[in-house]
Coordinates of all heavy atoms in Angstrom, one line a residue:
M1 N 176.6 78.3 84.3 CA 176.3 77.1 83.7 C 175.6 76.1 84.6 O 174.7 75.4 84.3 CB 177.5 76.4 83.1 CG 178.0 77.2 81.9 SD 176.9 77.5 80.4 CE 176.7 75.8 79.8
K2 N 176.0 76.2 85.9 CA 175.5 75.3 86.9 C 174.0 75.6 87.1 O 173.1 74.7 87.1 CB 176.1 75.5 88.2 CG 175.7 74.4 89.2 CD 176.1 74.6 90.7 CE 177.6 75.1 90.8 NZ 178.0 75.2 92.2
G3 N 173.5 76.8 87.0 CA 172.2 77.3 87.1 C 171.3 76.7 85.9 O 170.3 76.1 86.1
L4 N 171.9 76.9 84.7 CA 171.2 76.3 83.6 C 171.1 74.8 83.6 O 170.1 74.3 83.2 CB 172.0 76.8 82.3 CG 171.9 78.3 82.1 CD1 172.9 78.5 80.8 CD2 170.6 78.8 81.7
A5 N 172.1 74.2 84.2 CA 172.0 72.7 84.2 C 171.0 72.3 85.2 O 170.4 71.2 85.1 CB 173.4 72.2 84.6
L6 N 170.8 73.1 86.2 CA 169.8 72.7 87.2 C 168.4 73.1 86.7 O 167.4 72.8 87.5 CB 170.2 73.4 88.6 CG 171.4 72.8 89.3 CD1 171.7 73.8 90.5 CD2 171.1 71.4 89.7
G7 N 168.3 73.8 85.6 CA 166.9 74.1 85.1 C 166.4 75.6 85.3 O 165.3 75.8 85.0
V8 N 167.2 76.5 85.7 CA 166.8 77.8 85.9 C 166.6 78.5 84.4 O 167.2 78.0 83.5 CB 167.7 78.7 86.7 CG1 167.9 78.2 88.2 CG2 169.1 78.9 86.1
E9 N 165.8 79.4 84.4 CA 165.5 80.1 83.1 C 166.2 81.5 83.0 O 166.4 82.0 82.0 CB 164.0 80.3 83.0 CG 163.3 79.1 82.8 CD 161.7 79.3 82.7 OE1 161.4 80.4 82.5 OE2 161.0 78.3 82.8
C10 N 166.8 82.0 84.2 CA 167.4 83.3 84.1 C 168.5 83.3 85.2 O 168.3 82.8 86.3 CB 166.3 84.3 84.5 SG 167.0 86.0 84.5
V11 N 169.6 83.9 84.9 CA 170.7 84.1 85.8 C 171.0 85.6 85.9 O 171.1 86.3 84.9 CB 172.0 83.3 85.4 CG1 173.0 83.5 86.3 CG2 171.6 81.8 85.2
F12 N 171.1 86.0 87.1 CA 171.4 87.5 87.3 C 172.8 87.7 87.5 O 173.5 87.0 88.3 CB 170.5 88.0 88.5 CG 170.6 89.5 88.8 CD1 170.1 90.3 87.9 CD2 171.3 90.0 90.0 CE1 170.3 91.7 88.2 CE2 171.5 91.3 90.2 CZ 170.9 92.3 89.3
A13 N 173.4 88.6 86.7 CA 174.8 88.9 86.8 C 175.0 90.4 87.1 O 176.0 91.0 86.7 CB 175.6 88.5 85.5
G14 N 174.1 91.1 87.8 CA 174.1 92.5 88.0 C 175.3 93.0 88.9 O 175.9 94.1 88.7
R15 N 175.7 92.2 89.9 CA 176.8 92.6 90.8 C 178.1 92.7 90.0 O 178.9 93.7 90.4 CB 176.9 91.5 91.9 CG 177.8 92.0 93.0 CD 177.8 91.1 94.2 NE 176.5 90.8 94.7 CZ 176.3 89.9 95.6 NH1 177.2 89.0 96.0 NH2 175.1 89.9 96.1
L16 N 178.4 91.9 89.1 CA 179.6 92.0 88.3 C 179.7 93.4 87.6 O 180.6 94.1 87.7 CB 179.6 91.0 87.2 CG 180.5 91.2 86.0 CD1 181.9 90.9 86.6 CD2 180.3 90.3 84.9
F17 N 178.6 93.9 87.0 CA 178.6 95.2 86.4 C 178.6 96.4 87.4 O 179.2 97.4 87.1 CB 177.4 95.3 85.4 CG 177.5 94.3 84.4 CD1 176.7 93.2 84.4 CD2 178.4 94.4 83.3 CE1 176.7 92.2 83.4 CE2 178.5 93.3 82.3 CZ 177.6 92.4 82.4
N18 N 178.1 96.1 88.7 CA 178.2 97.2 89.6 C 179.7 97.4 89.9 O 180.2 98.5 90.2 CB 177.4 96.9 90.8 CG 176.0 97.0 90.7 OD1 175.5 97.7 89.7 ND2 175.1 96.3 91.4
F19 N 180.5 96.2 90.1 CA 181.8 96.3 90.5 C 182.6 96.9 89.4 O 183.5 97.8 89.6 CB 182.4 94.9 90.9 CG 181.8 94.4 92.1 CD1 181.6 93.0 92.3 CD2 181.5 95.1 93.3 CE1 181.1 92.4 93.5 CE2 181.0 94.6 94.4 CZ 180.8 93.2 94.6
V20 N 182.4 96.5 88.2 CA 183.1 97.0 87.0 C 182.9 98.5 87.0 O 183.9 99.3 86.7 CB 182.7 96.3 85.7 CG1 183.3 97.1 84.5 CG2 183.2 94.8 85.8
L21 N 181.7 98.9 87.0 CA 181.3 100.4 87.0 C 182.1 101.2 88.0 O 182.6 102.3 87.8 CB 179.9 100.6 87.0 CG 179.3 101.9 86.8 CD1 179.7 102.5 85.4 CD2 177.7 102.0 86.9
A22 N 182.0 100.6 89.3 CA 182.6 101.4 90.3 C 184.1 101.5 90.2 O 184.8 102.5 90.6 CB 182.2 100.8 91.7
Y23 N 184.7 100.4 89.8 CA 186.2 100.4 89.7 C 186.8 101.1 88.4 O 187.7 101.9 88.6 CB 186.6 98.9 89.6 CG 188.2 98.8 89.6 CD1 189.0 99.0 90.7 CD2 188.7 98.5 88.4 CE1 190.3 98.8 90.6 CE2 190.1 98.3 88.3 CZ 190.9 98.5 89.4 OH 192.3 98.4 89.4
A24 N 186.2 100.9 87.2 CA 186.8 101.4 86.0 C 185.9 102.4 85.2 O 186.3 102.8 84.2 CB 187.2 100.3 85.1
G25 N 184.8 102.6 85.7 CA 183.8 103.6 85.0 C 183.0 103.0 83.9 O 183.0 101.8 83.5
Q26 N 182.2 103.9 83.2 CA 181.3 103.4 82.2 C 181.9 102.8 81.0 O 181.3 101.9 80.4 CB 180.4 104.6 81.8 CG 179.3 104.3 80.9 CD 178.4 105.5 80.6 OE1 178.6 106.5 81.2 NE2 177.3 105.2 79.9
A27 N 183.1 103.2 80.6 CA 183.7 102.7 79.4 C 184.0 101.1 79.5 O 184.1 100.6 78.6 CB 185.0 103.5 79.1
S28 N 184.2 100.8 80.7 CA 184.5 99.4 80.9 C 183.5 98.4 80.9 O 183.6 97.2 80.9 CB 185.2 99.2 82.3 OG 184.4 99.6 83.3
I29 N 182.2 98.9 80.8 CA 181.0 97.9 80.8 C 181.0 97.1 79.5 O 180.6 96.0 79.6 CB 179.6 98.8 80.9 CG1 179.6 99.4 82.3 CG2 178.4 97.9 80.6 CD1 179.5 98.5 83.4
G30 N 181.4 97.7 78.4 CA 181.5 97.0 77.1 C 182.5 95.8 77.2 O 182.2 94.7 76.7
L31 N 183.6 96.1 77.8 CA 184.6 94.9 78.0 C 184.1 93.9 78.9 O 184.2 92.7 78.6 CB 185.9 95.5 78.6 CG 187.1 94.6 78.8 CD1 187.4 93.9 77.7 CD2 188.1 95.3 79.5
A32 N 183.3 94.3 80.0 CA 182.7 93.3 80.9 C 181.7 92.4 80.2 O 181.7 91.2 80.4 CB 182.1 94.0 82.1
L33 N 180.9 93.0 79.3 CA 179.9 92.3 78.6 C 180.7 91.3 77.7 O 180.2 90.2 77.4 CB 179.1 93.2 77.8 CG 177.9 93.9 78.5 CD1 177.3 95.0 77.7 CD2 177.0 92.8 79.1
K34 N 181.7 91.7 76.9 CA 182.4 90.9 76.0 C 183.1 89.7 76.8 O 183.1 88.6 76.4 CB 183.5 91.7 75.3 CG 184.4 90.8 74.3 CD 185.5 91.6 73.7 CE 186.3 90.8 72.7 NZ 186.5 89.4 73.1
L35 N 183.7 89.9 78.0 CA 184.2 88.9 78.8 C 183.2 87.9 79.3 O 183.5 86.7 79.2 CB 185.0 89.5 80.0 CG 186.3 90.2 79.7 CD1 186.7 91.0 81.0 CD2 187.3 89.4 79.0
L36 N 182.0 88.4 79.6 CA 181.0 87.5 80.1 C 180.5 86.6 78.9 O 180.2 85.4 79.0 CB 179.8 88.3 80.8 CG 178.6 87.5 81.2 CD1 179.1 86.6 82.4 CD2 177.6 88.5 81.7
H37 N 180.3 87.3 77.7 CA 179.9 86.6 76.6 C 180.9 85.5 76.2 O 180.5 84.3 75.9 CB 179.7 87.5 75.5 CG 179.3 86.9 74.1 ND1 180.2 86.6 73.2 CD2 178.1 86.4 73.7 CE1 179.5 86.0 72.1 NE2 178.3 85.9 72.4
D38 N 182.2 85.8 76.2 CA 183.2 84.9 75.9 C 183.3 83.7 76.8 O 183.5 82.5 76.4 CB 184.6 85.5 75.8 CG 184.7 86.5 74.6 OD1 183.9 86.5 73.7 OD2 185.7 87.2 74.7
E39 N 183.1 84.0 78.1 CA 183.1 83.0 79.1 C 182.0 82.0 78.9 O 182.1 80.7 79.0 CB 183.0 83.4 80.6 CG 183.1 82.5 81.6 CD 183.1 83.2 83.0 OE1 183.1 84.3 83.2 OE2 183.0 82.3 83.9
V40 N 180.7 82.5 78.6 CA 179.6 81.5 78.4 C 179.9 80.8 77.2 O 179.6 79.5 77.2 CB 178.3 82.4 78.2 CG1 177.1 81.5 77.7 CG2 178.0 83.1 79.5
R41 N 180.4 81.3 76.1 CA 180.8 80.6 74.9 C 181.8 79.4 75.2 O 181.6 78.2 74.8 CB 181.3 81.4 73.8 CG 180.2 82.3 73.2 CD 180.7 83.1 72.0 NE 181.3 82.1 71.1 CZ 181.9 82.6 70.0 NH1 182.1 83.9 69.7 NH2 182.5 81.7 69.2
R42 N 182.8 79.7 76.0 CA 183.8 78.7 76.3 C 183.2 77.6 77.1 O 183.3 76.5 76.9 CB 184.9 79.3 77.1 CG 186.2 79.5 76.4 CD 187.3 79.9 77.3 NE 187.1 80.8 78.3 CZ 187.0 82.1 78.3 NH1 187.2 82.7 77.2 NH2 186.7 82.8 79.3
K43 N 182.4 78.0 78.1 CA 181.8 77.0 79.0 C 180.7 76.1 78.3 O 180.3 75.0 78.7 CB 181.2 77.6 80.3 CG 182.3 78.1 81.3 CD 181.7 78.5 82.5 CE 182.8 79.0 83.4 NZ 182.4 79.3 84.7
T44 N 180.2 76.7 77.3 CA 179.2 76.0 76.5 C 179.9 74.9 75.6 O 179.5 73.9 75.3 CB 178.3 76.9 75.6 OG1 177.7 77.9 76.5 CG2 177.3 76.2 74.8
A45 N 181.0 75.5 75.0 CA 181.8 74.7 74.0 C 182.6 73.5 74.7 O 182.7 72.4 74.1 CB 182.7 75.5 73.2
L46 N 183.1 73.6 75.9 CA 183.9 72.7 76.5 C 183.3 71.3 76.6 O 183.8 70.3 76.3 CB 184.4 73.2 77.9 CG 185.7 74.1 77.8 CD1 186.0 74.6 79.1 CD2 186.8 73.4 77.2
P47 N 181.9 71.2 77.1 CA 181.2 69.9 77.2 C 180.6 69.5 75.8 O 179.9 68.6 75.7 CB 180.2 70.1 78.2 CG 179.9 71.6 78.2 CD 181.2 72.3 77.9
G48 N 180.9 70.3 74.8 CA 180.3 70.0 73.5 C 178.9 70.4 73.1 O 178.3 69.9 72.3
L49 N 178.5 71.4 73.8 CA 177.2 72.1 73.6 C 177.2 73.2 72.5 O 178.2 73.8 72.4 CB 176.5 72.6 75.0 CG 176.5 71.7 76.1 CD1 176.1 72.4 77.3 CD2 175.7 70.5 75.8
R50 N 176.1 73.3 71.7 CA 176.1 74.3 70.8 C 175.4 75.6 71.3 O 175.5 76.6 70.8 CB 175.3 73.7 69.5 CG 176.1 72.7 68.8 CD 175.3 72.2 67.7 NE 174.2 71.6 68.3 CZ 173.4 70.6 67.7 NH1 173.7 70.2 66.6 NH2 172.3 70.2 68.5
H51 N 174.6 75.5 72.3 CA 173.8 76.5 72.9 C 173.7 76.3 74.4 O 173.5 75.1 74.9 CB 172.4 76.5 72.2 CG 171.7 77.8 72.5 ND1 170.9 77.9 73.6 CD2 171.6 79.0 71.8 CE1 170.4 79.2 73.7 NE2 170.9 79.8 72.6
P52 N 173.7 77.2 75.2 CA 173.6 77.2 76.6 C 172.3 76.5 77.1 O 172.3 75.7 78.1 CB 173.6 78.5 77.2 CG 174.3 79.3 76.2 CD 174.0 78.7 74.9
A53 N 171.3 76.5 76.3 CA 170.0 75.9 76.6 C 170.2 74.4 76.5 O 169.1 73.7 77.2 CB 168.9 76.4 75.7
E54 N 171.2 73.8 76.0 CA 171.3 72.4 75.9 C 171.9 71.8 77.3 O 171.9 70.6 77.4 CB 172.3 72.0 74.8 CG 171.7 72.4 73.4 CD 172.7 72.0 72.3 OE1 173.8 71.6 72.7 OE2 172.4 72.3 71.2
A55 N 172.3 72.7 78.1 CA 172.8 72.2 79.4 C 171.7 71.5 80.2 O 170.6 71.9 80.3 CB 173.4 73.4 80.2
G56 N 172.2 70.4 80.7 CA 171.2 69.7 81.6 C 172.0 69.0 82.7 O 173.1 69.2 83.0
S57 N 171.1 68.2 83.6 CA 171.8 67.7 84.8 C 172.9 66.8 84.5 O 173.7 66.5 85.4 CB 170.6 67.1 85.6 OG 170.1 66.0 84.9
R58 N 173.0 66.2 83.4 CA 174.1 65.2 83.0 C 175.5 66.0 83.1 O 176.5 65.3 83.2 CB 173.9 64.7 81.6 CG 174.0 65.6 80.6 CD 173.7 65.0 79.2 NE 173.7 66.0 78.1 CZ 174.7 66.6 77.5 NH1 176.0 66.2 77.8 NH2 174.6 67.5 76.5
L59 N 175.5 67.3 83.1 CA 176.7 68.1 83.2 C 177.2 68.2 84.6 O 178.4 68.6 84.8 CB 176.6 69.4 82.7 CG 176.4 69.5 81.1 CD1 176.2 71.0 80.7 CD2 177.4 68.9 80.4
L60 N 176.4 67.9 85.5 CA 176.6 68.1 87.0 C 177.3 66.8 87.5 O 177.0 65.6 87.1 CB 175.5 68.4 87.8 CG 174.7 69.7 87.4 CD1 173.4 69.8 88.2 CD2 175.6 70.9 87.5
M61 N 178.3 67.0 88.5 CA 179.0 65.9 89.1 C 178.8 66.0 90.6 O 178.9 67.0 91.1 CB 180.4 65.9 88.7 CG 181.2 64.7 89.1 SD 182.9 64.8 88.3 CE 183.7 65.7 89.6
C62 N 178.3 64.9 91.2 CA 178.2 64.9 92.7 C 179.4 64.5 93.4 O 180.0 63.5 92.9 CB 177.0 64.1 93.0 SG 175.4 64.6 92.4
A63 N 179.8 65.1 94.4 CA 181.0 64.7 95.2 C 180.4 63.9 96.4 O 179.5 64.4 97.0 CB 181.7 66.0 95.7
R64 N 181.0 62.9 96.6 CA 180.7 62.0 97.9 C 181.7 62.3 98.9 O 182.9 62.0 98.8 CB 180.7 60.6 97.5 CG 179.7 60.2 96.4 CD 179.3 58.8 96.5 NE 178.5 58.4 95.4 CZ 177.2 58.5 95.5 NH1 176.5 59.1 96.6 NH2 176.4 58.2 94.5
I65 N 181.2 63.1 100.0 CA 182.1 63.4 101.0 C 181.6 62.7 102.3 O 180.5 62.8 102.7 CB 182.1 65.0 101.3 CG1 182.5 65.7 100.0 CG2 182.8 65.4 102.5 CD1 182.3 67.2 100.1
P66 N 182.5 62.0 102.9 CA 182.1 61.3 104.2 C 181.8 62.2 105.3 O 182.6 63.3 105.5 CB 183.4 60.5 104.5 CG 184.5 61.1 103.8 CD 183.9 61.7 102.5
W67 N 180.8 62.2 105.9 CA 180.2 63.2 106.8 C 179.9 62.5 108.1 O 179.1 61.5 108.0 CB 179.2 64.0 106.3 CG 178.9 65.2 107.0 CD1 178.0 65.4 108.1 CD2 179.6 66.4 106.9 NE1 178.1 66.7 108.5 CE2 179.0 67.4 107.9 CE3 180.7 66.9 106.1 CZ2 179.6 68.5 108.1 CZ3 181.2 68.2 106.3 CH2 180.6 69.0 107.2
P68 N 180.2 62.8 109.2 CA 181.2 63.9 109.5 C 182.7 63.4 109.2 O 182.9 62.3 109.5 CB 180.9 64.1 111.1 CG 180.5 62.8 111.6 CD 179.7 62.2 110.4
S69 N 183.4 64.2 108.7 CA 184.7 63.9 108.3 C 185.6 64.1 109.5 O 185.5 65.0 110.3 CB 185.1 64.9 107.2 OG 186.6 64.7 106.9
R70 N 186.7 63.3 109.5 CA 187.7 63.4 110.6 C 188.8 64.2 110.2 O 189.6 64.6 110.9 CB 188.2 62.0 110.9 CG 187.2 61.1 111.6 CD 188.0 59.8 112.1 NE 187.2 58.7 112.7 CZ 186.0 58.6 112.9 NH1 185.1 59.5 112.6 NH2 185.5 57.5 113.4
D71 N 188.9 64.6 108.9 CA 189.9 65.4 108.3 C 189.4 66.9 108.3 O 188.4 67.2 107.5 CB 190.2 65.0 106.9 CG 191.3 65.9 106.2 OD1 191.9 66.6 106.9 OD2 191.6 65.7 105.1
P72 N 189.9 67.8 109.1 CA 189.4 69.2 109.2 C 189.7 69.9 107.9 O 189.1 71.0 107.7 CB 190.2 69.8 110.4 CG 191.4 68.9 110.4 CD 191.1 67.5 110.1
H73 N 190.6 69.4 107.0 CA 191.0 70.3 105.9 C 190.2 69.8 104.6 O 190.4 70.4 103.6 CB 192.5 70.2 105.6 CG 193.4 70.6 106.8 ND1 193.4 71.9 107.2 CD2 194.2 70.0 107.7 CE1 194.1 72.1 108.2 NE2 194.7 70.9 108.5
L74 N 189.3 68.8 104.7 CA 188.6 68.2 103.7 C 187.8 69.3 102.9 O 187.8 69.4 101.6 CB 187.8 67.0 104.0 CG 187.0 66.4 103.0 CD1 188.0 65.7 102.0 CD2 186.0 65.3 103.5
L75 N 187.2 70.1 103.6 CA 186.2 71.2 103.0 C 187.0 72.5 103.1 O 186.3 73.5 102.6 CB 184.9 71.2 103.8 CG 184.0 70.0 103.7 CD1 182.9 70.0 104.5 CD2 183.9 69.5 102.2
S76 N 188.2 72.7 103.4 CA 188.9 74.0 103.6 C 189.4 74.4 102.2 O 189.9 73.5 101.5 CB 189.9 73.9 104.6 OG 190.7 75.0 104.6
A77 N 189.4 75.6 101.9 CA 190.1 76.2 100.8 C 191.6 76.2 101.0 O 192.3 76.3 100.0 CB 189.5 77.6 100.5
R78 N 192.1 76.2 102.2 CA 193.4 76.2 102.5 C 193.8 75.0 103.3 O 193.7 75.0 104.5 CB 193.7 77.5 103.2 CG 193.4 78.8 102.5 CD 193.8 79.9 103.3 NE 193.3 81.2 102.6 CZ 193.0 82.3 103.2 NH1 193.1 82.3 104.5 NH2 192.6 83.2 102.4
P79 N 194.4 74.0 102.7 CA 194.7 72.8 103.3 C 196.0 72.9 104.3 O 196.7 73.8 104.1 CB 195.0 71.7 102.3 CG 195.0 72.5 100.9 CD 194.5 73.8 101.2

């Protein structure tokens, strides 16, 4: 959704299917497609959009981070 909000016309999700195929075989590709479809529907519905094409820059939020930061954990995934 971030890519669509930034104005891209295409998003590549091939790596996901490579991992699914390698891990669980060909039969799992259908499930992966369903999960991807459901996720896009949810992420479209949460902000009140009817179609992913309606996503625009108004959906993005900018974080203001003081730089350089004195807090070493500010940008860390593990505080």
